[in-house]
Amino acid sequence: MSHESNARPSPDVARAETFADLLARRFERRRVLRAVAAAPLFLALPTAGCRRVPDPNIRVPSTSLRFEPVSASSQDAVRVPAHYRWNVVARWGDPVLPGAPPWDFHAQTANAQSRQFGYNNDFVAYFPLSEAPDERGLLAVNHEYTSAEHMFPGLGKARPSREQIDVEMAAHGMSIVEIERGEDGGFRLAEPGRWNRRITAETQLLLSGPAAGSEWLRTSRDPSGRRVAGMLYNCSGGKTPWDTVLTCEENFHNYFGGAESLPADDPRAVDHARYGIEPGLSDYGWESAHPRFDVGREPNEAFRFGWVVEVDPFEPNAMPRKRTALGRFKHEAASVTLAGDGRVVVYSGDDERFEYVYKFVSRDSWNPHDRAANRDLLDHGTLYVARFDADGSGRWLPLEFGREGLTTADGFRDQADVLVRTRSAADALGATRMDRPEDIEISPIDGRVYVALTNNTKRDADDTDAANPRGPNRDGHVLELEESGDDAAAESFRWDVLILCGDPSQPDSGTYFAGWDPEECPAISCPDNLLFDADGCLWIATDGQPGTVGVNDGLYAIPVRGEDRGHLRRFATLPAGAECCGPELTPAGDALFLAVQHPGEKGSLEKPQSTWPDGTNPPRPAVICVVREDGGRIGT
Ligand code: FEO
Ligand code: CA
Ligand code: CA
């Protein structure tokens, strides 16, 4: 690393170059479009499932995708198109903090792990660090969960020891690492500098917003209900215009055991059951070493998980904050945009079968001129849940205490109660039960919102609806939303199906690609993480294809505008057993980051399914960087 590593200009320089700039441009463009095109874009919306007639008021760019698609793969390898290459940026165990010891598979300790890159990387966010925003930056990467049988030699299916549990806890959370571009165009870890950070399952965090301090969140260890150790099962996330990262706690129920200790009619037991905390031992068994994960001993600890956590990558000593105003559920992601008046809107899905799609609208507007003024924007606002109606319309239903369905007569005490028991509140309002909402992304071109619904094998054929039209839904689908008045804060929207996933080569596959000929599209299944590039092309990462269409997971690109709308192409395939996470692009779009999660998941240390990335056992989850050999923009 060069001596310049700590010479980052003020965050304002980088911010002006990146996400804030993009949002501001989008905001301005949409303001102009609204003025030009008074009619809503969904004016000509046909019934769900049919191809939309393009709006004549919008000039639609033709697609810029020009890569040669890769074929399906079952290989234990990363495969990218011809004239592209990839390299590992950071793998499990790589040093994050200065002085971190080298990774030693046979002698791993919690202390070492807490200074090294964690396990099962998922969300990836790039923040430029210099006036050359595409040359040096911070990568914030979260670590969703651990797989003890792949981490500890000889463990097999046995329960991990206390020491091993502590290693697992240290392998959770988030890594913030400084990266720099090499001569070959790929990014790699820089020497650990002042921004590098590890957040683990033991790091002290703050609870903020309307539910902070409420009775639900108080424990014997924290009578204030405002401080919590760690963040768990961090799945996807988002970035804010003020350059912080949002990381989402998803399947937190897996960590809590002993639920049978509470009487079945105890309100806490009822809520734990609603969130899937079952009687008996937890999946992870951490309660054997840390009583806070034992519901019988600490009945409220589980209420302190299932939140969106905001981390400031430019303040390594600042405590991350769990933003309770955004509700408590199994958050997949938290994708941010701006309303017409500058208020901040955050979309988030609850990834479980038959759960809901939400959005949060802040009370106050983003201040682009004063970073500090935005610090607590996500503590005040309104949380909504989505109802999708059969005629292609939809409503955002406010989860506000005192409104119909959410009063004391309905069993809710106050807004903190509504937010801690978000699922029950959404039940009460009649929200639409979806097929596992995963990532949600917003088009930078027109603000349309895309929702990945990964699958739902438990939906019966006679329990379908217009927005979840297949039962069982093995392969998942993607919905396209248009907010009323082209304003992200609207309380109503129009919606349509963008794609119905599956293998189009199979008879009666039921696939649909926004009207494009399915025979020209590859198999795709279980859409999970989404990304938009600057041209408004949607990128879809998958999780679960080996079990459905029989090929490795990977990354796909699909134009959603112009003549090529619906023409899906496969860009990358991942190693055996791995899920495709991330994805993320640099501001210029000339480097793509993918998080390769759980390579070799179906194997064991004795019979490895994968030896990726280094040809050794065990396989190691890693973030990779993909670039074009000629340095051009990815996909074009
Ligand atoms: Fe952690 Fe919904 O994927
Ligand atoms: Ca995911
Ligand atoms: Ca995403």
Side-chain angles (χ1 to χ4, degrees):
M1 182 184 81
S2 82
H3 63 280
E4 296 171 352
S5 68
N6 290 342
R8 180 180 186 268
S10 80
D12 295 328
V13 172
R15 248 194 346 277
E17 296 286 337
T18 60
F19 187 54
D21 198 33
L22 177 73
L23 271 176
R25 279 206 312 275
R26 181 192 306 166
F27 179 46
E28 177 61 18
R29 176 185 165 83
R30 292 174 64 190
R31 199 179 60 75
V32 171
L33 287 177
R34 270 200 306 278
V36 172
L41 290 177
F42 272 70
L43 199 63
L45 185 84
T47 55
C50 300
R51 190 173 189 182
R52 180 186 299 114
V53 178
D55 189 303
N57 292 313
I58 305 296
R59 287 178 57 194
V60 179
S62 61
T63 181
S64 55
L65 288 182
R66 287 196 179 84
F67 65 87
E68 190 178 312
V70 300
S71 56
S73 169
S74 297
Q75 298 172 17
D76 185 30
V78 170
R79 295 165 68 252
V80 294
H83 311 297
Y84 284 78
R85 60 173 164 243
W86 65 273
N87 64 271
V88 170
V89 181
R91 57 173 79 61
W92 170 43
D94 280 349
V96 171
L97 299 185
W103 179 71
D104 182 345
F105 179 52
H106 297 281
Q108 187 69 323
T109 67
N111 183 276
Q113 179 65 77
S114 68
R115 294 185 282 162
Q116 300 166 340
F117 202 68
Y119 203 78
N120 272 345
N121 29 228
D122 197 307
F123 182 65
V124 178
Y126 177 85
F127 296 92
L129 262 186
S130 75
E131 285 157 328
D134 294 86
E135 298 302 314
R136 176 184 295 278
L138 295 181
L139 217 53
V141 180
N142 63 18
H143 303 292
E144 186 173 23
Y145 65 97
T146 47
S147 306
E149 69 274 24
H150 293 276
M151 295 172 67
F152 305 113
L155 181 66
K157 297 291 180 195
R159 287 257 160 185
S161 66
R162 160 97 198 208
E163 289 71 27
Q164 289 167 332
I165 287 171
D166 288 346
V167 172
E168 287 191 84
M169 293 177 74
H172 275 67
M174 176 175 278
S175 296
I176 295 173
V177 291
E178 188 170 337
I179 59 172
E180 59 191 354
R181 201 189 276 271
E183 287 182 1
D184 63 355
F187 279 90
R188 290 179 177 76
L189 289 177
E191 198 69 28
R194 64 194 270 207
W195 315 107
N196 280 31
R197 183 176 192 181
R198 275 304 321 278
I199 297 165
T200 74
E202 292 282 37
T203 303
Q204 286 295 304
L205 282 70
L206 293 173
L207 288 149
S208 68
S214 72
E215 208 174 301
W216 289 105
L217 302 187
R218 296 177 200 159
T219 65
S220 61
R221 195 161 128 171
D222 172 35
S224 76
R226 294 178 184 276
R227 290 177 76 106
V228 57
M231 51 189 197
L232 297 174
Y233 222 102
N234 285 253
C235 197
S236 193
K239 290 194 288 190
T240 67
W242 52 98
D243 273 345
T244 60
V245 58
L246 304 179
T247 173
C248 297
E249 295 184 308
E250 196 191 29
N251 296 315
F252 63 91
H253 63 291
N254 289 332
Y255 301 86
F256 293 92
E260 70 281 6
S261 305
L262 291 176
D265 60 353
D266 185 309
R268 296 169 299 187
V270 171
D271 195 74
H272 289 328
R274 180 68 183 85
Y275 284 77
I277 297 175
E278 306 278 351
L281 294 173
S282 72
D283 281 4
Y284 285 85
W286 291 1
E287 66 271 28
S288 66
H290 297 275
R292 68 184 172 113
F293 297 109
D294 182 339
V295 174
R297 297 175 70 173
E298 203 64 88
N300 287 359
E301 183 72 0
F303 297 123
R304 293 140 64 84
F305 296 87
W307 303 103
V308 173
V309 188
E310 184 172 8
V311 180
D312 187 343
F314 298 111
E315 294 289 347
N317 297 316
M319 287 167 81
R321 289 166 188 257
K322 297 196 178 188
R323 299 294 185 186
T324 66
L326 277 68
R328 175 174 168 268
F329 47 91
K330 296 177 188 176
H331 286 274
E332 167 72 21
S335 300
V336 184
T337 190
L338 293 175
D341 56 7
R343 285 180 292 163
V344 177
V345 179
V346 187
Y347 295 90
S348 190
D350 184 350
D351 180 11
E352 191 151 12
R353 297 180 186 96
F354 304 111
E355 293 300 337
Y356 307 124
V357 170
Y358 297 84
K359 80 172 177 185
F360 168 84
V361 180
S362 68
R363 182 190 66 189
D364 304 319
S365 297
W366 171 50
N367 183 339
H369 308 294
D370 181 0
R371 186 170 194 246
N374 303 306
R375 194 188 72 169
D376 293 324
L377 263 187
L378 300 184
D379 279 346
H380 307 283
T382 304
L383 183 67
Y384 297 85
V385 66
R387 190 188 72 210
F388 294 81
D389 294 326
D391 63 356
S393 68
R395 299 292 305 180
W396 291 108
L397 310 170
L399 294 164
E400 283 181 332
F401 173 72
R403 293 179 71 142
E404 190 179 344
L406 302 178
T407 66
T408 48
D410 302 306
F412 293 92
R413 292 195 302 253
D414 51 25
Q415 187 62 19
D417 201 14
V418 167
L419 292 171
V420 171
R421 299 193 293 134
T422 300
R423 283 183 167 183
S424 299
D427 293 342
L429 296 188
T432 301
R433 301 160 74 235
M434 310 298 288
D435 287 348
R436 291 189 56 197
E438 298 264 18
D439 202 358
I440 300 173
E441 286 292 341
I442 306 107
S443 167
I445 303 296
D446 59 16
R448 285 179 186 163
V449 178
Y450 294 79
V451 182
L453 298 150
T454 196
N455 60 58
N456 186 350
T457 51
K458 294 196 174 163
R459 186 177 289 280
D460 293 332
D462 61 1
D463 185 28
T464 59
D465 57 54
N468 301 276
R470 296 189 292 186
N473 182 4
R474 188 193 71 163
D475 295 299
H477 57 293
V478 178
L479 297 182
E480 180 179 55
L481 276 60
E482 175 93 8
E483 297 279 19
S484 294
D486 196 24
D487 190 337
E491 294 199 341
S492 63
F493 58 91
R494 302 286 303 180
W495 66 270
D496 199 356
V497 173
L498 179 74
I499 56 173
L500 296 171
C501 300
D503 183 351
S505 72
Q506 296 300 306
D508 304 321
S509 69
T511 54
Y512 170 79
F513 296 91
W516 196 267
D517 182 354
E519 289 188 5
E520 294 183 18
C521 296
I524 181 172
S525 184
C526 306
D528 191 332
N529 295 317
L530 304 177
L531 170 74
F532 266 102
D533 65 25
D535 292 331
C537 177
L538 181 63
W539 295 72
I540 304 175
T542 67
D543 172 21
Q545 292 192 152
T548 53
V549 293
V551 299
N552 288 1
D553 282 308
L555 183 68
Y556 298 74
I558 182 169
V560 296
R561 302 179 61 86
E563 296 173 355
D564 227 9
R565 175 178 157 90
H567 188 187
L568 183 79
R569 280 166 261 204
R570 187 188 290 110
F571 179 83
T573 62
L574 292 202
E579 159 186 357
C580 189
C581 298
E584 170 73 317
L585 287 163
T586 51
D590 60 356
L592 167 74
F593 300 100
L594 297 177
V596 180
Q597 196 187 80
H598 57 68
E601 182 186 45
K602 298 297 182 195
S604 65
L605 290 173
E606 293 69 35
K607 282 190 178 174
Q609 180 193 22
S610 171
T611 59
W612 189 87
D614 299 317
T616 54
N617 188 21
R620 293 163 76 179
V623 173
I624 65 170
C625 172
V626 182
V627 295
R628 260 170 59 172
E629 288 174 351
D630 65 1
R633 287 175 54 215
I634 301 294
T636 62

